[in-house]
Amino acid sequence: MEKRSSTAGVPTAPRMSEDPAQLVPELAEVSAALFRATGNGSVPRSTIGLVQLRAGQIVGSTYLTVLHTGFLRKAGEPEERITSVASWWDSPYFTAAERAALALVEAVLQPSPGGERVPDELYARAAAHYGGKALATLMFVIGQVGFFIPVALVAKPVPGRSFSEPWS
């Protein structure tokens, strides 16, 4: 895998010149349905944001990392919580429920050399903190960010631009 030099120029335009949502307008319905499903109130909005930020970090997407960091800041999350998402397992800033959610997103998005990605123990830990609807919602939160990972990695919108206008 070729790594970018730290002295390379910062991209000022997305890799893909056309907005994928304009090329495939049917995406708007899917996206809206995902946001409605994950915003049903069964999982705290802060937990959703933390999971989405961790997903962006795991897949190495600056766009997603900057986007979700910005959303968390706008929602009033303390800087210590935001910056320690990358090392959540030894950070004092997260609840047991948030730790279970962060462990779940890591398990789903990272290969497991030892076998099953989501072992029974992890499922039980998450289920101890989240009822049926909340656990299902948390799965869909991971799926929602997973749905947008290819856009972030293939089309490469410019980090820091508005969520609705990365192609302008």
Side-chain angles (χ1 to χ4, degrees):
M1 180 168 129
E2 185 178 323
K3 295 226 177 197
R4 193 178 183 137
S5 166
S6 62
T7 59
V10 176
T12 58
R15 178 185 293 156
M16 187 173 192
S17 61
E18 295 177 274
D19 182 346
Q22 290 182 354
L23 295 171
V24 184
E26 299 84 357
L27 176 67
E29 288 179 48
V30 174
S31 180
L34 286 170
F35 279 99
R36 280 192 310 276
T38 59
N40 65 34
S42 65
V43 175
R45 185 69 213 134
S46 58
T47 302
I48 291 171
L50 295 170
V51 165
Q52 291 171 328
L53 172 56
R54 187 64 187 130
Q57 292 171 340
I58 291 167
V59 301
S61 169
T62 301
Y63 177 77
L64 290 174
T65 301
V66 169
L67 176 72
H68 293 297
T69 297
F71 287 161
L72 286 163
R73 283 188 181 124
K74 190 173 183 178
E77 282 295 322
E79 199 63 27
E80 294 84 3
R81 281 171 50 86
I82 294 169
T83 57
S84 65
V85 166
S87 57
W88 63 268
W89 52 89
D90 70 353
S91 169
Y93 301 112
F94 304 107
T95 67
E98 290 168 336
R99 290 175 187 284
L102 290 165
L104 199 58
V105 71
E106 284 194 1
V108 170
L109 293 181
Q110 293 178 328
S112 174
E116 190 174 14
R117 286 188 185 205
V118 181
D120 291 342
E121 179 276 325
L122 176 54
Y123 177 84
R125 190 167 15 131
H129 296 286
Y130 298 99
K133 182 176 182 176
L135 189 54
T137 300
L138 192 53
M139 289 186 297
F140 296 133
V141 166
I142 296 168
Q144 176 188 29
V145 75
F147 183 81
F148 290 103
I149 287 171
V151 175
L153 298 179
V154 175
K156 277 191 102 163
V158 177
R161 294 231 178 124
S162 164
F163 179 66
S164 59
E165 298 184 13
W167 276 269
S168 53

